[in-house]
Protein backbone atom coordinates (compact mmCIF):
# COMPACT_ATOMS: atom_id res chain seq x y z
CA UNK A 1 0.00 0.00 0.00
CA UNK A 2 1.61 3.27 -1.12
CA UNK A 3 -0.24 6.57 -1.29
CA UNK A 4 0.58 9.56 -3.49
CA UNK A 5 -2.42 11.70 -2.54
CA UNK A 6 -3.05 12.96 0.98
CA UNK A 7 -6.12 14.64 2.47
CA UNK A 8 -5.91 16.34 5.87
CA UNK A 9 -9.12 17.21 7.69
CA UNK A 10 -9.18 20.32 9.89
CA UNK A 11 -12.36 20.22 12.01
CA UNK A 12 -12.49 23.84 13.24
CA UNK A 13 -14.65 26.75 12.07
CA UNK A 14 -15.31 30.22 13.44
CA UNK A 15 -19.06 29.76 13.14
CA UNK A 16 -21.29 27.07 11.69
CA UNK A 17 -22.94 28.01 8.38
CA UNK A 18 -26.67 27.28 8.20
CA UNK A 19 -26.38 24.77 5.36
CA UNK A 20 -23.26 22.89 6.42
CA UNK A 21 -23.08 19.31 7.68
CA UNK A 22 -19.30 18.84 7.47
CA UNK A 23 -17.58 17.62 10.61
CA UNK A 24 -16.40 20.80 12.31
CA UNK A 25 -16.54 22.51 15.71
CA UNK A 26 -16.81 26.18 16.52
CA UNK A 27 -15.35 26.08 20.02
CA UNK A 28 -11.76 25.22 19.12
CA UNK A 29 -9.21 27.22 21.13
CA UNK A 30 -5.75 27.91 19.73
CA UNK A 31 -4.47 25.38 22.27
CA UNK A 32 -6.75 22.64 20.91
CA UNK A 33 -5.56 23.45 17.38
CA UNK A 34 -1.94 23.05 18.43
CA UNK A 35 -2.80 19.73 20.08
CA UNK A 36 -4.70 18.60 17.00
CA UNK A 37 -1.78 19.37 14.70
CA UNK A 38 0.47 17.28 16.96
CA UNK A 39 -2.03 14.41 16.65
CA UNK A 40 -2.02 14.76 12.88
CA UNK A 41 1.76 14.40 13.02
CA UNK A 42 1.38 11.28 15.16
CA UNK A 43 -1.08 9.87 12.65
CA UNK A 44 1.11 10.63 9.66
CA UNK A 45 4.16 9.17 11.35
CA UNK A 46 2.14 5.96 11.94
CA UNK A 47 1.65 5.68 8.18
CA UNK A 48 5.24 6.65 7.45
CA UNK A 49 6.56 3.89 9.70
CA UNK A 50 4.63 1.41 7.58
CA UNK A 51 6.23 2.77 4.40
CA UNK A 52 2.84 3.71 2.98
CA UNK A 53 3.65 7.27 1.95
CA UNK A 54 5.11 7.61 -1.52
CA UNK A 55 6.39 10.76 -3.06
CA UNK A 56 3.27 12.83 -2.38
CA UNK A 57 1.87 14.39 -5.55
CA UNK A 58 -0.85 16.37 -3.80
CA UNK A 59 -1.76 17.38 -0.27
CA UNK A 60 -5.17 18.90 0.37
CA UNK A 61 -6.15 20.56 3.65
CA UNK A 62 -9.95 20.59 3.79
CA UNK A 63 -12.47 21.05 6.51
CA UNK A 64 -13.84 22.76 8.41
CA UNK A 65 -11.68 25.82 7.93
CA UNK A 66 -8.00 24.93 7.53
CA UNK A 67 -7.06 28.61 7.33
CA UNK A 68 -8.13 29.00 10.97
CA UNK A 69 -5.06 26.99 12.07
CA UNK A 70 -1.89 28.70 13.33
CA UNK A 71 0.45 28.84 10.33
CA UNK A 72 3.35 27.44 12.38
CA UNK A 73 1.40 24.24 12.95
CA UNK A 74 0.61 23.84 9.24
CA UNK A 75 4.24 24.60 8.33
CA UNK A 76 5.60 22.06 10.78
CA UNK A 77 3.18 19.40 9.56
CA UNK A 78 4.18 20.04 5.93
CA UNK A 79 7.85 19.74 6.85
CA UNK A 80 7.19 16.15 8.04
CA UNK A 81 5.87 15.01 4.64
CA UNK A 82 7.70 13.34 1.76
CA UNK A 83 6.61 15.85 -0.87
CA UNK A 84 7.29 15.57 -4.57
CA UNK A 85 9.11 18.69 -5.77
CA UNK A 86 6.12 19.54 -7.97
CA UNK A 87 3.50 18.64 -5.39
CA UNK A 88 0.24 20.58 -5.42
CA UNK A 89 -0.37 21.74 -1.83
CA UNK A 90 -3.86 23.16 -1.34
CA UNK A 91 -5.54 24.88 1.55
CA UNK A 92 -9.24 25.66 1.93
CA UNK A 93 -9.75 29.12 3.41
CA UNK A 94 -12.51 31.31 4.75
CA UNK A 95 -12.00 35.06 4.12
CA UNK A 96 -12.90 35.77 7.76
CA UNK A 97 -9.73 33.97 8.89
CA UNK A 98 -7.30 35.57 6.45
CA UNK A 99 -5.17 38.67 6.24
CA UNK A 100 -2.25 39.57 4.01
CA UNK A 101 0.38 38.55 6.60
CA UNK A 102 -1.19 35.15 7.08
CA UNK A 103 -1.48 34.65 3.33
CA UNK A 104 2.21 35.53 2.90
CA UNK A 105 3.16 33.09 5.67
CA UNK A 106 1.04 30.33 4.11
CA UNK A 107 2.71 30.87 0.74
CA UNK A 108 6.12 30.89 2.32
CA UNK A 109 5.63 27.61 4.14
CA UNK A 110 4.81 25.77 0.93
CA UNK A 111 1.13 26.14 0.03
CA UNK A 112 0.86 26.75 -3.71
CA UNK A 113 -2.91 26.58 -4.19
CA UNK A 114 -5.57 28.31 -2.13
CA UNK A 115 -9.30 27.69 -2.31
CA UNK A 116 -11.30 30.57 -0.86
CA UNK A 117 -14.93 30.00 0.10
CA UNK A 118 -16.66 33.16 -1.08
CA UNK A 119 -20.04 31.52 -1.87
CA UNK A 120 -21.75 34.80 -2.86
CA UNK A 121 -21.22 38.53 -3.30
CA UNK A 122 -24.70 39.38 -2.07
CA UNK A 123 -24.65 40.80 1.46
CA UNK A 124 -28.15 39.57 2.34
CA UNK A 125 -27.37 36.03 1.18
CA UNK A 126 -24.02 35.91 2.96
CA UNK A 127 -25.73 36.97 6.18
CA UNK A 128 -28.54 34.47 5.89
CA UNK A 129 -26.05 31.68 5.12
CA UNK A 130 -24.28 32.45 8.40
CA UNK A 131 -21.02 33.52 6.76
CA UNK A 132 -18.82 35.80 8.84
CA UNK A 133 -17.40 37.79 5.92
CA UNK A 134 -19.03 40.30 3.62
CA UNK A 135 -18.64 40.52 -0.14
CA UNK A 136 -15.87 43.07 0.10
CA UNK A 137 -13.81 40.93 2.53
CA UNK A 138 -14.03 38.08 0.04
CA UNK A 139 -12.84 40.17 -2.89
CA UNK A 140 -10.03 41.75 -0.88
CA UNK A 141 -8.77 38.36 0.30
CA UNK A 142 -8.57 37.09 -3.28
CA UNK A 143 -6.55 40.18 -4.19
CA UNK A 144 -4.39 39.68 -1.10
CA UNK A 145 -3.78 36.04 -1.99
CA UNK A 146 -2.50 37.25 -5.35
CA UNK A 147 -0.29 39.87 -3.68
CA UNK A 148 1.06 37.17 -1.36
CA UNK A 149 2.26 35.26 -4.41
CA UNK A 150 -0.48 32.66 -4.98
CA UNK A 151 -0.76 31.99 -8.71
CA UNK A 152 -3.30 29.18 -8.37
CA UNK A 153 -6.45 30.48 -6.68
CA UNK A 154 -9.88 28.88 -6.53
CA UNK A 155 -13.08 30.48 -5.34
CA UNK A 156 -16.19 28.54 -4.29
CA UNK A 157 -19.63 29.85 -5.24
CA UNK A 158 -23.12 28.56 -4.46
CA UNK A 159 -26.38 28.77 -6.37
CA UNK A 160 -29.94 27.72 -5.59
CA UNK A 161 -29.86 29.66 -2.31
CA UNK A 162 -33.07 30.86 -0.61
CA UNK A 163 -33.85 34.34 -1.90
CA UNK A 164 -31.31 34.14 -4.72
CA UNK A 165 -32.63 35.31 -8.08
CA UNK A 166 -31.22 34.76 -11.55
CA UNK A 167 -30.12 38.41 -11.62
CA UNK A 168 -28.28 38.05 -8.33
CA UNK A 169 -26.55 34.95 -9.71
CA UNK A 170 -25.53 36.74 -12.91
CA UNK A 171 -24.03 39.51 -10.81
CA UNK A 172 -22.17 36.92 -8.70
CA UNK A 173 -20.65 35.35 -11.81
CA UNK A 174 -19.69 38.76 -13.18
CA UNK A 175 -17.88 39.68 -9.97
CA UNK A 176 -16.25 36.25 -9.77
CA UNK A 177 -14.84 36.56 -13.28
CA UNK A 178 -13.54 40.05 -12.51
CA UNK A 179 -11.35 38.54 -9.77
CA UNK A 180 -9.40 36.68 -12.48
CA UNK A 181 -8.82 33.51 -10.49
CA UNK A 182 -7.54 30.34 -12.14
CA UNK A 183 -10.37 28.14 -10.89
CA UNK A 184 -14.02 28.46 -9.89
CA UNK A 185 -16.06 25.74 -8.15
CA UNK A 186 -19.81 26.13 -8.42
CA UNK A 187 -22.04 24.13 -6.10
CA UNK A 188 -25.81 23.86 -6.08
CA UNK A 189 -27.26 24.03 -2.58
CA UNK A 190 -27.91 20.58 -1.19
CA UNK A 191 -29.49 20.38 2.23
CA UNK A 192 -29.13 17.66 4.84
CA UNK A 193 -31.94 17.54 7.39
CA UNK A 194 -29.55 17.87 10.31
CA UNK A 195 -28.62 21.45 9.34
CA UNK A 196 -30.60 24.58 10.38
CA UNK A 197 -31.63 25.21 6.78
CA UNK A 198 -32.45 21.53 6.26
CA UNK A 199 -34.81 21.65 9.26
CA UNK A 200 -36.33 24.93 8.10
CA UNK A 201 -36.94 23.50 4.64
CA UNK A 202 -38.54 20.36 6.08
CA UNK A 203 -40.93 22.51 8.15
CA UNK A 204 -41.78 24.71 5.17
CA UNK A 205 -40.12 27.78 6.67
CA UNK A 206 -37.40 28.08 4.05
CA UNK A 207 -38.30 29.01 0.53
CA UNK A 208 -35.82 27.78 -2.08
CA UNK A 209 -35.79 29.07 -5.69
CA UNK A 210 -38.11 27.21 -8.08
CA UNK A 211 -36.47 24.28 -9.84
CA UNK A 212 -36.63 26.16 -13.15
CA UNK A 213 -34.72 29.09 -11.64
CA UNK A 214 -31.98 26.83 -10.23
CA UNK A 215 -31.74 25.09 -13.58
CA UNK A 216 -31.40 28.45 -15.33
CA UNK A 217 -28.60 29.46 -12.92
CA UNK A 218 -26.78 26.23 -13.74
CA UNK A 219 -27.12 26.81 -17.47
CA UNK A 220 -26.08 30.46 -17.24
CA UNK A 221 -22.98 29.37 -15.32
CA UNK A 222 -21.82 27.15 -18.18
CA UNK A 223 -22.40 29.79 -20.75
CA UNK A 224 -20.88 32.72 -18.84
CA UNK A 225 -17.79 30.90 -17.52
CA UNK A 226 -17.05 29.26 -20.89
CA UNK A 227 -17.18 32.70 -22.49
CA UNK A 228 -14.70 33.95 -19.88
CA UNK A 229 -12.20 31.21 -20.81
CA UNK A 230 -12.96 28.59 -18.14
CA UNK A 231 -13.15 24.93 -19.04
CA UNK A 232 -15.88 22.95 -17.30
CA UNK A 233 -13.52 20.02 -16.66
CA UNK A 234 -15.77 18.42 -14.04
CA UNK A 235 -19.50 18.78 -13.41
CA UNK A 236 -19.07 21.49 -10.75
CA UNK A 237 -15.57 22.73 -11.53
CA UNK A 238 -14.20 25.27 -13.98
CA UNK A 239 -10.55 26.01 -14.61
CA UNK A 240 -8.34 28.01 -16.90
CA UNK A 241 -6.14 25.72 -19.03
CA UNK A 242 -3.58 23.88 -16.87
CA UNK A 243 -5.28 24.72 -13.56
CA UNK A 244 -7.57 21.75 -12.92
CA UNK A 245 -7.22 20.69 -9.28
CA UNK A 246 -4.84 17.72 -9.35
CA UNK A 247 -5.95 16.45 -5.97
CA UNK A 248 -9.62 16.31 -6.89
CA UNK A 249 -8.75 14.82 -10.30
CA UNK A 250 -7.20 11.91 -8.37
CA UNK A 251 -10.57 11.31 -6.65
CA UNK A 252 -12.45 11.37 -9.93
CA UNK A 253 -9.95 9.01 -11.52
CA UNK A 254 -10.40 6.76 -8.49
CA UNK A 255 -6.77 6.81 -7.46
CA UNK A 256 -5.87 5.56 -3.98
CA UNK A 257 -5.69 8.28 -1.36
CA UNK A 258 -5.01 8.57 2.34
CA UNK A 259 -7.13 10.81 4.55
CA UNK A 260 -5.94 11.75 8.01
CA UNK A 261 -7.61 13.64 10.82
CA UNK A 262 -11.04 13.46 12.34
CA UNK A 263 -13.66 11.89 10.02
CA UNK A 264 -11.22 11.75 7.09
CA UNK A 265 -11.89 9.14 4.41
CA UNK A 266 -9.31 6.96 2.67
CA UNK A 267 -9.44 4.63 -0.30
CA UNK A 268 -7.11 1.81 -1.19
CA UNK A 269 -8.19 -0.35 -4.13
CA UNK A 270 -11.38 -2.11 -2.97
CA UNK A 271 -11.20 -0.82 0.60
CA UNK A 272 -12.57 2.41 1.98
CA UNK A 273 -12.35 3.58 5.55
CA UNK A 274 -13.44 6.64 7.49
CA UNK A 275 -11.76 7.80 10.69
CA UNK A 276 -13.85 8.27 13.81
CA UNK A 277 -15.57 11.63 14.11
CA UNK A 278 -15.51 11.48 17.88
CA UNK A 279 -13.07 14.12 19.12
CA UNK A 280 -12.41 12.40 22.50
CA UNK A 281 -11.72 9.04 20.91
CA UNK A 282 -9.53 10.48 18.18
CA UNK A 283 -7.43 12.59 20.56
CA UNK A 284 -7.05 9.91 23.26
CA UNK A 285 -5.90 7.30 20.76
CA UNK A 286 -3.44 9.41 18.80
CA UNK A 287 -2.02 11.00 21.96
CA UNK A 288 -0.95 7.44 22.82
CA UNK A 289 0.22 6.79 19.23
CA UNK A 290 -2.56 4.24 18.89
CA UNK A 291 -4.56 4.05 15.69
CA UNK A 292 -7.98 5.63 16.34
CA UNK A 293 -11.04 3.58 15.36
CA UNK A 294 -12.28 3.76 11.80
CA UNK A 295 -15.12 2.26 9.81
CA UNK A 296 -14.03 0.07 6.95
CA UNK A 297 -15.98 -1.05 3.93
CA UNK A 298 -14.76 -3.71 1.54
CA UNK A 299 -16.23 -3.28 -1.91
CA UNK A 300 -17.00 -6.00 -4.45
CA UNK A 301 -15.28 -5.71 -7.82
CA UNK A 302 -18.68 -4.73 -9.28
CA UNK A 303 -18.88 -1.80 -6.85
CA UNK A 304 -15.30 -0.72 -7.61
CA UNK A 305 -16.05 -0.85 -11.34
CA UNK A 306 -19.23 1.21 -10.84
CA UNK A 307 -17.31 3.81 -8.85
CA UNK A 308 -14.56 3.97 -11.45
CA UNK A 309 -17.19 4.60 -14.13
CA UNK A 310 -19.37 7.17 -12.44
CA UNK A 311 -16.50 9.11 -10.90
CA UNK A 312 -14.78 9.21 -14.30
CA UNK A 313 -17.99 10.30 -16.01
CA UNK A 314 -17.96 13.45 -13.90
CA UNK A 315 -14.98 14.60 -15.95
CA UNK A 316 -15.33 16.46 -19.22
CA UNK A 317 -13.60 13.77 -21.28
CA UNK A 318 -15.42 11.00 -19.47
CA UNK A 319 -13.93 7.51 -19.31
CA UNK A 320 -11.63 5.64 -21.69
CA UNK A 321 -13.51 2.43 -22.46
CA UNK A 322 -10.40 0.39 -23.39
CA UNK A 323 -8.51 1.46 -20.28
CA UNK A 324 -11.28 0.38 -17.92
CA UNK A 325 -11.86 -2.86 -19.84
CA UNK A 326 -8.20 -3.72 -19.45
CA UNK A 327 -8.10 -2.71 -15.79
CA UNK A 328 -11.17 -4.76 -14.82
CA UNK A 329 -11.10 -7.50 -17.48
CA UNK A 330 -14.68 -6.82 -18.57
CA UNK A 331 -16.40 -6.00 -21.84
CA UNK A 332 -18.22 -2.80 -20.83
CA UNK A 333 -20.54 -2.77 -23.83
CA UNK A 334 -21.76 -6.32 -23.23
CA UNK A 335 -22.05 -5.84 -19.49
CA UNK A 336 -24.05 -2.61 -19.57
CA UNK A 337 -25.50 -2.62 -23.10
CA UNK A 338 -29.19 -3.04 -22.23
CA UNK A 339 -29.21 -0.44 -19.45
CA UNK A 340 -27.09 2.05 -21.33
CA UNK A 341 -29.09 2.15 -24.52
CA UNK A 342 -31.73 4.59 -23.18
CA UNK A 343 -28.92 6.87 -21.94
CA UNK A 344 -27.62 7.22 -25.50
CA UNK A 345 -31.12 7.48 -26.98
CA UNK A 346 -32.11 10.20 -24.50
CA UNK A 347 -28.98 12.24 -25.11
CA UNK A 348 -27.55 11.72 -21.63
CA UNK A 349 -24.42 9.85 -22.64
CA UNK A 350 -22.31 10.02 -25.82
CA UNK A 351 -19.29 8.23 -27.27
CA UNK A 352 -16.31 9.80 -29.02
CA UNK A 353 -12.84 8.41 -29.82
CA UNK A 354 -13.25 5.47 -27.46
CA UNK A 355 -14.52 7.60 -24.57
CA UNK A 356 -17.96 7.74 -22.95
CA UNK A 357 -18.86 11.14 -21.60
CA UNK A 358 -21.87 12.99 -20.20
CA UNK A 359 -23.68 15.32 -22.54
CA UNK A 360 -24.83 18.69 -21.21
CA UNK A 361 -28.22 17.10 -20.46
CA UNK A 362 -26.40 14.14 -18.88
CA UNK A 363 -24.54 16.45 -16.51
CA UNK A 364 -27.87 17.80 -15.37
CA UNK A 365 -29.29 14.32 -14.79
CA UNK A 366 -25.99 12.75 -13.76
CA UNK A 367 -27.48 10.68 -10.93
CA UNK A 368 -29.82 8.94 -13.39
CA UNK A 369 -26.81 8.00 -15.51
CA UNK A 370 -24.72 6.83 -12.56
CA UNK A 371 -27.54 4.61 -11.26
CA UNK A 372 -27.30 2.45 -14.38
CA UNK A 373 -23.78 1.32 -13.45
CA UNK A 374 -24.50 0.39 -9.84
CA UNK A 375 -24.48 -3.35 -9.21
S1 LIG B 1 -16.95 27.57 7.00
FE1 LIG B 1 -17.17 25.82 5.59
S2 LIG B 1 -16.89 23.99 6.86
FE2 LIG B 1 -17.21 25.71 8.26
S3 LIG B 1 -19.38 25.66 8.72
FE3 LIG B 1 -19.13 27.07 6.99
S4 LIG B 1 -19.37 25.79 5.14
FE4 LIG B 1 -19.06 24.40 6.89
Amino acid sequence: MVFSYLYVHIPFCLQKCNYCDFVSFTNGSEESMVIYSQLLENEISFWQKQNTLGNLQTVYFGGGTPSIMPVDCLAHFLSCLPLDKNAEISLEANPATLNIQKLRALKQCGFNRISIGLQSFHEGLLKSMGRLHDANDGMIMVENARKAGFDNINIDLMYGLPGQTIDIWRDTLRKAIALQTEHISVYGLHLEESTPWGKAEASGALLLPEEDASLAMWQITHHVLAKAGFENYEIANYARPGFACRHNLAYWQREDYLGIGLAAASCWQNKRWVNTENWQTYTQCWQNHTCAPYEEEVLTMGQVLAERIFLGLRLKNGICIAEIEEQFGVDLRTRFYKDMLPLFQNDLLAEKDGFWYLTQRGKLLANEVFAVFLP
Side-chain angles (χ1 to χ4, degrees):
M1 205 192 292
V2 179
F3 296 98
S4 303
Y5 304 96
L6 177 68
Y7 173 80
V8 185
H9 190 75
I10 303 294
F12 305 108
C13 287
L14 284 177
Q15 174 173 293
K16 202 77 189 162
C17 302
N18 287 324
Y19 53 89
C20 176
D21 77 327
F22 295 146
V23 176
S24 69
F25 316 115
T26 53
N27 53 356
S29 60
E30 182 154 338
E31 193 193 347
S32 62
M33 293 179 204
V34 174
I35 292 171
Y36 185 72
S37 71
Q38 181 56 56
L39 301 179
L40 289 175
E41 288 182 22
N42 293 354
E43 190 177 356
I44 204 71
S45 99
F46 165 85
W47 289 102
Q48 267 171 322
K49 280 186 195 138
Q50 302 186 46
N51 294 322
T52 49
L53 289 192
N55 218 15
L56 291 173
Q57 299 300 309
T58 68
V59 183
Y60 191 101
F61 286 74
T65 305
S67 57
I68 204 173
M69 292 289 281
V71 180
D72 290 353
C73 294
L74 297 171
H76 194 266
F77 179 82
L78 279 183
S79 71
C80 302
L81 300 177
L83 295 168
D84 184 83
K85 69 177 184 353
N86 294 318
E88 175 193 272
I89 308 173
S90 301
L91 181 94
E92 286 182 353
N94 181 319
T97 61
L98 294 175
N99 57 44
I100 182 80
Q101 291 80 10
K102 190 163 195 176
L103 283 160
R104 285 205 174 105
L106 288 166
K107 182 72 180 59
Q108 206 149 28
C109 76
F111 288 97
N112 52 25
R113 183 176 188 275
I114 190 156
S115 175
I116 306 179
L118 300 186
Q119 318 309 353
S120 175
F121 297 103
H122 188 275
E123 304 300 355
L125 287 181
L126 287 169
K127 233 187 194 102
S128 71
M129 293 166 94
R131 306 289 298 181
L132 278 172
H133 55 94
D134 63 22
N136 201 39
D137 294 335
M139 292 192 262
I140 288 174
M141 285 315 148
V142 173
E143 283 164 18
N144 283 346
R146 191 69 83 201
K147 282 186 201 151
F150 282 96
D151 53 12
N152 191 353
I153 304 174
N154 170 58
I155 53 176
D156 284 346
L157 301 175
M158 289 178 78
Y159 70 93
L161 301 169
Q164 192 178 37
T165 62
I166 294 174
D167 282 346
I168 292 176
W169 181 240
R170 275 190 197 281
D171 184 59
T172 300
L173 290 174
R174 190 176 54 74
K175 289 179 173 145
I177 291 166
L179 289 173
Q180 300 190 323
T181 58
E182 286 68 31
H183 195 287
I184 302 181
S185 298
V186 182
Y187 301 110
L189 179 69
H190 170 82
L191 289 177
E192 296 295 336
E193 264 204 48
S194 57
T195 63
W197 271 8
K199 288 187 188 119
E201 193 209 3
S203 71
L206 189 79
L207 221 55
L208 295 174
E210 296 289 328
E211 215 176 301
D212 282 358
S214 288
L215 177 60
M217 291 183 211
W218 184 80
Q219 283 165 333
I220 289 165
T221 308
H222 281 265
H223 180 68
V224 170
L225 293 186
K227 219 169 135 197
F230 287 91
E231 184 188 32
N232 181 209
Y233 72 99
E234 191 272 344
I235 291 180
N237 285 280
Y238 298 79
R240 297 199 183 280
F243 287 96
C245 175
R246 284 163 53 200
H247 185 82
N248 287 336
L249 276 177
Y251 292 151
W252 298 313
Q253 287 158 348
R254 209 187 181 282
E255 298 286 352
D256 301 315
Y257 56 87
L258 176 66
I260 68 162
L262 208 70
S266 305
C267 175
W268 172 258
Q269 295 181 356
N270 65 333
K271 283 194 185 136
R272 260 202 313 244
W273 62 97
V274 183
N275 284 354
T276 178
E277 54 180 76
N278 183 303
W279 171 262
Q280 298 286 352
T281 312
Y282 180 85
T283 49
Q284 275 165 13
C285 289
W286 284 114
Q287 259 160 1
N288 297 320
H289 295 265
T290 313
C291 191
Y294 55 88
E295 261 182 44
E296 187 181 87
E297 192 184 359
V298 180
L299 306 179
T300 63
M301 265 311 130
Q303 288 172 312
V304 176
L305 172 64
E307 277 192 8
R308 175 73 181 83
I309 293 173
F310 64 68
L311 287 170
L313 282 175
R314 298 186 65 90
L315 295 168
K316 184 183 178 213
N317 293 337
I319 51 169
C320 173
I321 304 164
E323 192 185 306
I324 293 186
E325 288 187 335
E326 195 188 318
Q327 192 183 346
F328 289 87
V330 288
D331 181 330
L332 288 181
R333 286 188 177 82
T334 314
R335 179 145 175 175
F336 296 112
Y337 179 77
K338 227 175 75 205
D339 297 327
M340 280 175 61
L341 207 54
L343 301 178
F344 286 107
Q345 287 167 343
N346 294 324
D347 185 33
L348 296 173
L349 202 60
E351 180 171 341
K352 192 178 167 201
D353 301 332
F355 279 75
W356 286 336
Y357 64 95
L358 293 179
T359 60
Q360 206 56 6
R361 196 172 129 75
K363 284 181 192 168
L364 194 61
L365 302 169
N367 286 339
E368 279 182 32
V369 178
F370 300 160
V372 161
F373 297 99
L374 290 173

